[in-house]
Amino acid sequence: MLPSYYEFHNPVKIMSGHKALDNLPSELEMLGAKCPMVITDKGVAGAGLVKIFTQSFDSSGMTIGAIFDDVPPDSSSEVVEKITAIFRKNGCDSLIALGGGSVIDTAKGVNILVTENSDDLLQFSGAEMLKKKMKPLVVIPTTSGTGSEVTVVAVISDIKRNLKMAFSSTRLLPDIALLDPRMTLTLPPKMTAATAMDAMSHAVESFINLQKNPMSDAYALAAIEMIRKNVINAVSDGNDAKVRLAMANASTMAGIAFSNSMVGVVHSLGHAAGGICHIPHGVAMNIFLPFGLEYNMSKCRDNIGRLLLPMAGADVYARTPESRRAEQMIHYLRELRKALNDLCGLPINLKQAGVTEDKLPQIAKAAINDPSIIMNPREMDENDALEILKKAFA
Amino acid sequence: MEEIKGYSNRILEINLTEKSWSVSEASIKDREMFIGGKGLGMKLLYDRLKPGTDPLGEDNILVIMPGVVTGTGAPCSGRFEAISKSPLTGIIATASCGGPFGIHLKTAGYGGLVIKGKSKEKCVVWFDHKTVEFRDGSDVWGLDTVETQEKISADSKKEASLVIGPAGENLVRFSNIASGHRFLGRGGLGAVMGAKNLKGVVARGKHYKIVPANPEKFEKVKKKASLFIKREAVTLSMGKFGTATNVKFVNRAKMLPVWNYFFGEHDQAFRISGEMIREKHETKVSTCKPCSIMCGHRGKFNGKETAVPEYETLTLLGSNLGIFDREAISRFNDICNRAGMDTISAGGTLAWVMEAVEKGLVSPDVFVSSAGENDSSEQQGSKERSSKPYSLMFGSPDGVEDALESIARCEGFGKEMGLGSRALSQKYGGRDFAIQVKGLEMAGYDPRGAYGLGLAYAVANRGACHLSASIMSFEVFLGLLKPDTARAKPQMVKFVEDLTCGVNALQTCQFTMYAYTLEPFLTKYTPGFILKNLMLWLPEIALALLDFSIYPDFFSSITGIKMSSADFLKAGERIHVLERYMNTREGISSRDDILPDRMIMETISGDEKKRVVPLDKMIGKYYKLRGYNSDGIPVSRLLDKLKIPSEPCFTN
C-alpha cells in the first residue's frame, strides 16, 4: 500500500565495474578535488588493496595527499582527530574511505571536523546538526554488507567520555560509492557470509518495517534477489569477480533501502548483543533475522510472504500457495543460513557465537532501548525480547 | 569344512503352502548360458512362473540367487540377486543386494533359493545345509527390519537373514527386503514376501568353503582386479565420499532432480554432496562384505550413528522434494530402512503427491497421520492413536516423516501413496508429471541432461532404472560421450545393458565396471579425445576395443568352464532378452518404452539449451540393434540365435 507521505533521498553517485577504480581520478576532478586523503586500515593495506588503489592514480596526474592506514575496528574520536590533523597538515581537500564500516564512519567523522573546522565531534552528534557543504567524500567499500557508502549515519566512540556518538545527516552521504570487485576479492569466506547477511537483514527489515515505501521496496527486493543468487558462490569461491561485484551492488542497494526506511527488531537485538557480547554485527544479523521475522509475522505476514519471490525465485513463489509464502520465506532463509554454516561455520545461534545464557536478560534490556525498534512493525517489551533471545540461543 | 568347487547347481525349493521343501538341480547348460545370479535366476523363474500371475498371489515366485563369484573372496563378491514378478510394475523385478544372506545361502550348499506358495500363518523359514524349518512368525510380525533380523538370526556369526519390515507386511508396492544393512531395493519385492506371510528367511551357512576350480588363475585375476580398483579415479572417489560423490557431477551437468524434476540444479546441492557429508558427519566405511570399493558409509546424524544416505536417497528424498537438510534426509532414510521401503520410489511418489497438491488434483486435507502412543500428549496413558494433520509441500521437510510412516503403516492416504506414482496418477490425473516408466519411479538423474540415459530409462526391463545401463557414467561422470546428442546412444545402451546383465549374473558389484573397463591398458592409455570421437562416431569400434575380460576370467577360473569376452557379452544379451521376452508375455511392448511427458516435452526450468530427450530418434535404432520388431517384441529369430526356448520347460 502506498504511504500517505514518504521521503526518499539518495544523491550518491554509484560507480560500479570491474575496473571502476580507474575512473576515480577523473571523477574526483569533476568534484573539484585535487589532493585527496585516503583513509583505510591495516587489514586492507595488508591485503594489498591500497597498492591496487594507488595504481589507478599512476597515470592520472593527480596526487594523493596522504594515506592513513591505521583505523581500528571501532572508530573513535581520537583517531578521527588524528586523521584530521594529517588532513590539514598535508593540505588535503577531499576524502577517500577505503574499507569497511569503521573506516567509512571514521572518514565521515573526519569530514565533519575538516568541513566545520572544529576539533570537537560531540557538538555535531545527533540528527541534522551539520549545516555546511561537506568536502568531497568517495567511499570504496571493501566488504559487502554495511551499506555505509550510501547511508546518512555514522557511529563513533568517544573513549574519554565513554560514549558512542551517533551522527545522522543527509550531508554525511558520500558523493560517490565506488564498487570495484578487486576490493572485496580477498575478504575471507566467513566475513563474506556475515557481511552478506548484514546486507540481507538491511533489505529484509527495510521491506517490512513501518517506514517502508515503494522506492525502498524496489531496492530491497532487488538486493535480496542478488544476495540469494550470489552469496553461496561468493563464500565458496571468493575469487569470482562477477559474484563479488554482484554482492557489492546488492549491499549498496540494501543500504539505500534501509537508509530510507530504517531497520527493526533484528537490528535492535543485534546492536544489543554486539554491545554486550561483542558478536560481530553480521553474525548477529544472521542469527536474529528469522526470529525477528517470526516475531513480526502477526503484523506483516503479507510483506514477509512477498519476500519469498526474491528469496526463492519466481517458480517457487508462483508454486507456493499464498497462505504459506511467509512461512516458506522464513524456511528458505533458514536453509540459506544452514548452507552458509556448512560452508564457513557462520553461527546460526547465540550459543555457537559464544554467548552464554546468563547474558540474555541483559541483552533483552538493551534491545528494547535501541533506537532501531521504533520503526519495527510490532512493539517489543523486555519479555518479548527475552523470548526471542531464548529461541535464538540454541 | 567341506568344499564347493566354484558353484553349486543345487537349488533349494521351498513351498510355503505345503510347508515342504525339495532340492532341484540347475543344468550345466543353463549355468553356461545364464552364468548365475540374475541370469540363472531369471531362467529358473521363466521355467516356473506362468504369465499373468498375480504378483501378490500365491503363485508368484521369489528366486534368490548368489552368483558365481559370491563367497569366493574376489573383490566385491558379497552380492546376490532376487528375481520375481513385481507388485509395483506388474512385470519382472530384479534386485541386487550386498547383504550377508547370499554368502550364507551359498555356503549352506545352495546355488539358488526358490520360494513358492503362500503360508497360511505368518512365518519365518530357517534352513541350513541339510534341513528346512518353518517357524512361527507371529511374534516378529510388525517389527522393523533391524529388530526382526536381531530376533530371527539367533547366531549372527553363522546365520544371515532376509527380512521385510512393516511396509512389506502391509503390501506397500515399493517395499523392499533387507539383509544386514543392505537391501533388495526396487520393485516391491518386500510385498511379495508379505503376501506370502513370510516375514523372514534365515540361512545358516558356513558349512561349505567356496574354492575356485583354477586357484592359480583365480588369484591372478583377483590381483589384477584389486589393482584396477585401487587405481581408478571414480572408484576411489566413491570409496572416499560414497555414492553421494555423484551429487557435484550431476548438479554441474544440470540433471539433479529438484522439485519433481522441474529444476536440474540447485545452489544448495553442495550440502548433500559426498564431500560435505564426509566433512560434517564423521563418516566411516560400512560396506557389503567383502568389498574393495567401500562406497557404503555410516556417519553421525541427529546425534547418533546411522547409515549415510546413498545418492539416490539424497536426491529422491532430498533435492527432488526441495530438501537439502542432511539431518532431515537421514531421518527419512532411517524410516524407510526400518520400515523396509525403497527410498527412490518413496521419494518419487511423494514428489508426485506434492505436485498434485499444488495443482489441485489431490486435496491437502487428505494428509492425516495417526500419531503414535507416545506422541499423544493430550491422551497420556491412552493406547489410542490420535489423528494429526500434516502437509506436503516442496521445499519443506515438514510432513515427510508423517507421510512415510503412513505409507509404511498403510494408513489413511498412505494406503494410496503406497501404490506408487503410476497408480496415483491413473486415479487422480497428472500422468505427465508422474516420473516413472512401467510403474517404476525414476532414479536420481534427469535424462534431459544425458540422452543415452533417457533411452536406457525408457527401454530398461524393470522400469526407470539407472542400473540397467548406467550410461550416464560415460555421458557425465567420465565425459567420454557427448550427453546431449542421440548419436551412438542406441549402440552404447545395448552394449552396457548386455555387459551389466553379465555382471549381475556373475553377481559382483556394478561399480566394478569403472575399474575393470577403464584401467586395462588400451582404454587407459588411449588419448581421451580419440576415445571420445570413437565413441561418438564409430561406437562399434570403440566398444570392440573395450576390454572387460576380467569378468569372463573370473567366471572361467572359478567354474573351470571356458568363457571368452564374447561369450560373456552374449550371455548378458541372452539374459536381457529373456527378461524382455518374459515382460512382453505380460503385455509389455513399444507402447511402454516411453518416458514421462516432462522428459520429452518440457525443458528443465532455466535450461538455455531447451533440451528434451529425443527418444523417437533413438528407439527405432535400438530395437533394430536388439533384434526386436517395431513393436519392441523379441522376434523368434532372435530367441533362436540366443538359444532361448520360446516356451519354458515348466518345472513345478
Side-chain angles (χ1 to χ4, degrees):
Chain A
M1 195 168 50
L2 204 60
S4 56
Y5 176 79
Y6 74 92
E7 290 181 7
F8 181 92
H9 182 66
N10 178 50
V12 182
K13 178 169 183 173
I14 311 293
M15 293 170 63
S16 165
H18 292 278
K19 290 184 176 173
L21 268 175
D22 298 357
N23 298 332
L24 182 56
S26 57
E27 284 295 326
L28 282 167
E29 261 182 49
M30 285 166 71
L31 289 168
K34 291 191 174 76
C35 185
M37 177 177 188
V38 179
I39 300 172
T40 186
D41 62 31
K42 289 280 183 221
V44 172
L49 303 185
V50 175
K51 204 174 162 191
I52 298 169
F53 168 81
T54 52
Q55 279 167 358
S56 66
F57 279 77
D58 283 352
S59 56
S60 68
M62 183 176 281
T63 314
I64 294 172
I67 296 177
F68 182 88
D69 67 1
D70 200 14
V71 175
D74 283 315
S75 45
S76 71
S77 53
E78 277 182 0
V79 179
V80 170
E81 286 161 18
K82 198 171 161 186
I83 299 170
T84 303
I86 298 169
F87 183 97
R88 287 172 178 152
K89 190 180 159 198
N90 288 281
C92 297
D93 59 6
S94 53
L95 289 156
I96 298 171
L98 176 64
S102 174
V103 166
I104 299 168
D105 281 3
T106 301
K108 287 177 178 174
V110 173
N111 207 4
I112 294 170
L113 292 186
V114 298
T115 302
E116 299 287 346
N117 203 16
S118 168
D119 288 318
D120 183 13
L121 267 179
L122 187 60
Q123 60 176 298
F124 302 102
S125 73
E128 297 302 343
M129 300 294 281
L130 305 170
K131 306 297 175 203
K132 291 185 184 169
K133 187 177 183 314
M134 309 288 276
K135 303 276 184 205
L137 170 63
V138 174
V139 173
I140 306 169
T142 56
T143 66
S144 299
T146 66
S148 303
E149 66 275 18
V150 284
T151 62
V152 296
V153 295
V155 178
I156 297 166
S157 304
D158 185 333
I159 295 169
K160 282 182 213 154
R161 290 175 240 195
N162 194 26
L163 51 93
K164 276 202 170 187
M165 297 177 288
F167 306 86
S168 173
S169 168
T170 52
R171 292 188 183 277
L172 279 178
L173 282 164
D175 296 279
I176 293 170
L178 190 144
L179 311 176
D180 188 316
R182 289 174 289 177
M183 298 295 103
T184 53
L185 286 177
T186 53
L187 198 63
K190 200 167 176 178
M191 204 178 278
T192 301
T195 50
M197 291 310 285
D198 185 13
M200 177 71 91
S201 68
H202 293 153
V204 169
E205 287 219 288
S206 87
F207 192 83
I208 63 164
N209 77 12
L210 299 175
Q211 203 173 301
K212 79 197 291 289
N213 61 68
M215 302 293 153
S216 64
D217 284 356
Y219 281 97
L221 292 170
I224 295 168
E225 184 178 13
M226 208 171 269
I227 295 168
R228 186 258 301 176
K229 283 183 173 170
N230 291 284
V231 62
I232 284 173
N233 289 338
V235 174
S236 53
D237 178 14
N239 291 319
D240 188 332
K242 277 186 192 167
V243 166
R244 290 293 197 182
L245 186 59
M247 289 306 296
N249 273 268
S251 169
T252 300
M253 288 192 287
I256 293 170
F258 94 85
S259 187
N260 282 280
S261 62
M262 310 317 282
V263 283
V265 62
V266 175
H267 275 75
S268 311
L269 290 162
H271 292 152
I276 291 160
C277 301
H278 306 290
I279 311 174
H281 182 65
V283 172
M285 294 300 94
N286 185 55
I287 293 170
F288 291 126
L289 190 51
F291 298 102
L293 289 177
E294 279 170 347
Y295 180 74
N296 284 320
M297 183 75 96
S298 60
K299 294 285 180 187
C300 54
R301 163 178 279 277
D302 287 352
N303 285 334
I304 295 172
R306 282 177 64 195
L307 291 180
L308 182 65
L309 178 60
M311 193 67 204
D315 285 318
V316 172
Y317 180 78
R319 291 175 62 170
T320 304
E322 204 174 345
S323 60
R324 295 286 302 272
R325 285 178 185 155
E327 283 81 5
Q328 283 301 91
M329 155 62 195
I330 297 170
H331 170 70
Y332 275 88
L333 186 63
R334 285 209 157 94
E335 289 299 297
L336 179 62
R337 290 157 84 242
K338 283 185 194 168
L340 296 176
N341 181 265
D342 279 346
L343 278 175
C344 64
L346 187 68
I348 53 175
N349 59 46
L350 291 168
K351 199 175 177 185
Q352 284 178 7
V355 175
T356 52
E357 209 164 356
D358 59 310
K359 291 275 191 294
L360 302 188
Q362 210 182 328
I363 300 172
K365 197 168 236 167
I368 57 164
N369 291 315
D370 189 89
S372 35
I373 196 67
I374 294 166
M375 289 299 161
N376 193 64
R378 183 177 165 194
E379 285 186 15
M380 180 172 75
D381 64 20
E382 204 172 321
N383 282 335
D384 297 333
L386 195 57
E387 280 307 305
I388 300 174
L389 287 162
K390 281 179 186 167
K391 284 180 192 164
F393 180 70
Chain B
M1 193 181 274
E2 291 180 59
E3 289 184 349
I4 289 177
K5 202 162 265 185
Y7 62 95
S8 164
N9 274 354
R10 296 174 74 236
I11 308 296
L12 176 60
E13 308 226 15
I14 290 172
N15 189 319
L16 293 170
T17 309
E18 295 166 7
K19 286 194 171 28
S20 64
W21 61 281
S22 61
V23 176
S24 64
E25 194 81 14
S27 73
I28 298 285
K29 190 180 152 221
D30 278 353
R31 174 66 69 180
E32 286 174 358
M33 286 175 61
F34 294 96
I35 300 177
K38 176 179 174 178
L40 192 52
M42 192 71 68
K43 180 63 168 47
L44 293 177
L45 194 68
Y46 180 58
D47 289 339
R48 287 161 177 75
L49 186 75
K50 291 193 173 114
T53 299
D54 175 4
L56 296 176
E58 184 178 354
D59 295 334
N60 196 10
I61 294 167
L62 177 64
V63 179
I64 308 290
M65 294 293 289
V68 169
V69 301
T70 309
T72 60
C76 312
S77 55
R79 302 193 70 84
F80 63 100
E81 188 91 9
I83 309 102
S84 187
K85 189 166 175 183
S86 164
L88 180 66
T89 63
I91 54 177
I92 301 302
T94 59
S96 172
C97 173
F101 187 84
I103 288 182
H104 281 266
L105 172 62
K106 194 161 172 183
T107 56
Y110 296 112
L113 169 66
V114 175
I115 300 170
K116 296 179 282 195
K118 176 180 179 176
S119 171
K120 276 192 191 117
E121 307 86 23
K122 297 167 176 67
C123 75
V124 169
V125 170
W126 181 97
F127 70 87
D128 66 3
H129 64 286
K130 54 184 179 190
T131 191
V132 176
E133 292 176 11
F134 295 87
R135 296 176 174 174
D136 176 27
S138 55
D139 60 334
V140 286
W141 204 260
L143 298 185
D144 69 32
T145 57
V146 178
E147 296 162 338
T148 307
Q149 290 188 81
E150 282 168 2
K151 211 149 184 187
I152 66 173
S153 302
D155 185 344
S156 62
K157 283 186 181 163
K158 288 189 177 169
E159 294 178 354
S161 48
L162 283 182
V163 302
I164 57 170
E169 296 168 12
N170 292 321
L171 309 184
V172 173
R173 301 304 193 266
F174 44 81
S175 54
N176 60 22
I177 300 173
S179 174
H181 58 278
R182 314 298 294 184
F183 297 87
L184 291 159
R186 306 223 65 192
L189 298 175
V192 174
M193 276 178 67
K196 292 181 181 301
N197 278 327
L198 179 61
K199 178 70 173 172
V201 183
V202 184
R204 187 177 180 88
K206 300 204 170 176
H207 183 77
Y208 292 96
K209 189 180 174 192
I210 314 298
V211 293
N214 184 342
E216 280 172 23
K217 188 180 174 191
F218 175 75
E219 284 306 319
K220 217 171 139 187
V221 182
K222 187 177 155 186
K223 201 174 161 190
K224 190 158 104 176
S226 303
L227 189 69
F228 285 177
I229 287 173
K230 276 183 195 154
R231 288 198 315 215
E232 200 282 315
V234 176
T235 313
L236 291 174
S237 184
M238 277 197 284
K240 201 169 172 186
F241 303 117
T243 49
T245 192
N246 292 350
V247 169
K248 65 174 183 290
F249 296 111
V250 176
N251 191 51
R252 210 178 291 155
K254 299 183 180 179
M255 47 193 288
L256 187 78
V258 180
W259 283 51
N260 201 24
Y261 299 80
F262 184 79
F263 303 103
E265 63 183 325
H266 200 284
D267 63 0
Q268 295 208 14
F270 74 89
R271 290 175 63 195
I272 55 169
S273 68
E275 289 77 357
M276 189 55 76
I277 290 171
R278 183 181 162 94
E279 188 188 317
K280 302 286 180 186
H281 297 279
E282 301 170 35
T283 58
K284 57 184 180 189
V285 161
S286 169
T287 65
C288 320
K289 285 176 185 165
C291 174
S292 303
I293 295 175
M294 315 279 188
C295 73
H297 294 94
R298 289 177 74 77
K300 251 192 172 167
F301 291 84
N302 305 300
K304 63 179 175 108
E305 194 185 301
T306 186
V308 170
E310 300 287 348
Y311 170 83
E312 304 299 336
T313 309
L314 290 162
T315 50
L316 271 303
L317 281 173
S319 62
N320 200 36
L321 305 182
I323 297 167
F324 295 89
D325 182 331
R326 297 182 300 274
E327 305 273 349
I329 299 169
S330 169
R331 290 195 299 273
F332 308 157
N333 191 40
D334 282 347
I335 290 172
C336 288
N337 288 350
R338 284 189 169 265
M341 285 197 296
D342 171 23
T343 54
I344 301 179
S345 283
T349 301
L350 290 187
W352 180 90
V353 173
M354 286 178 180
E355 191 161 344
V357 171
E358 250 182 32
K359 293 190 160 139
L361 300 175
V362 170
S363 162
D365 301 333
V366 300
F367 305 112
V368 180
S369 77
S370 54
E373 291 158 30
N374 297 330
D375 303 339
S376 176
S377 55
E378 290 153 17
Q379 298 179 28
Q380 278 181 358
S382 163
K383 288 195 175 178
E384 293 287 314
R385 284 175 177 273
S386 62
S387 293
K388 186 178 82 169
Y390 64 93
S391 60
L392 285 174
M393 193 169 144
F394 288 116
S396 172
D398 299 343
V400 174
E401 285 170 70
D402 292 303
L404 292 171
E405 298 276 13
S406 73
I407 293 170
R409 289 198 296 255
C410 219
E411 287 173 353
F413 195 65
K415 192 172 184 177
E416 293 196 49
M417 291 194 281
L419 300 175
S421 61
R422 180 174 68 177
L424 284 165
S425 67
Q426 283 166 349
K427 179 170 177 183
Y428 292 96
R431 290 188 200 197
D432 53 326
F433 60 86
I435 310 300
Q436 51 81 29
V437 176
K438 301 183 178 81
L440 190 76
E441 284 72 19
M442 189 173 280
Y445 310 87
D446 191 317
R448 287 168 291 184
Y451 297 167
L453 180 64
L455 174 62
Y457 277 143
V459 299
N461 281 327
R462 72 175 178 179
C465 165
H466 62 300
L467 294 171
S468 179
S470 299
I471 191 172
M472 71 286 186
S473 306
F474 291 94
E475 295 178 293
V476 178
F477 305 156
L478 302 168
L480 289 174
L481 190 58
K482 194 170 183 287
D484 49 357
T485 174
R487 176 174 284 281
K489 300 300 164 65
Q491 294 94 324
M492 288 299 296
V493 168
K494 178 188 180 293
F495 172 82
V496 180
E497 281 176 341
D498 292 347
L499 185 60
T500 304
C501 275
V503 172
N504 283 331
L506 200 59
Q507 261 309 316
T508 185
C509 176
Q510 277 187 229
F511 292 158
T512 60
M513 288 165 77
Y514 290 106
Y516 293 178
T517 60
L518 296 173
E519 282 297 314
F521 183 83
L522 202 57
T523 330
K524 190 175 173 79
Y525 295 104
T526 302
F529 74 95
I530 294 180
L531 214 52
K532 273 188 207 174
N533 278 303
L534 272 179
M535 283 206 177
L536 191 61
W537 299 101
L538 299 165
E540 288 83 2
I541 292 175
L543 294 174
L545 293 175
L546 214 56
D547 177 358
F548 52 90
S549 58
I550 282 188
Y551 294 120
D553 286 350
F554 266 131
F555 181 85
S556 303
S557 63
I558 293 167
T559 61
I561 301 168
K562 264 190 163 181
M563 180 173 275
S564 66
S565 290
D567 293 336
F568 185 78
L569 202 59
K570 176 73 85 183
E573 182 184 5
R574 184 176 294 118
I575 296 161
H576 187 90
V577 171
L578 173 60
E579 188 179 357
R580 173 71 179 190
Y581 181 57
M582 291 169 77
N583 281 345
T584 58
R585 295 191 315 161
E586 303 287 352
I588 289 290
S589 71
S590 57
R591 281 174 310 179
D592 304 287
D593 293 340
I594 51 170
L595 289 172
D597 284 356
R598 178 153 292 171
M599 302 299 158
I600 52 175
M601 294 165 78
E602 291 176 31
T603 61
I604 297 171
S605 178
D607 179 22
E608 288 163 6
K609 291 183 179 173
K610 308 278 176 210
R611 292 167 300 177
V612 291
V613 181
L615 190 57
D616 289 346
K617 285 186 186 170
M618 300 185 283
I619 205 155
K621 173 120 195 214
Y622 171 84
Y623 285 162
K624 215 169 192 177
L625 284 167
R626 272 265 167 242
Y628 300 166
N629 66 18
S630 58
D631 292 328
I633 312 288
V635 297
S636 56
R637 197 169 58 247
L638 174 66
L639 299 179
D640 292 345
K641 188 186 98 180
L642 295 172
K643 300 189 174 111
I644 297 170
S646 58
E647 285 302 321
C649 39
F650 280 113
T651 50
N652 284 305

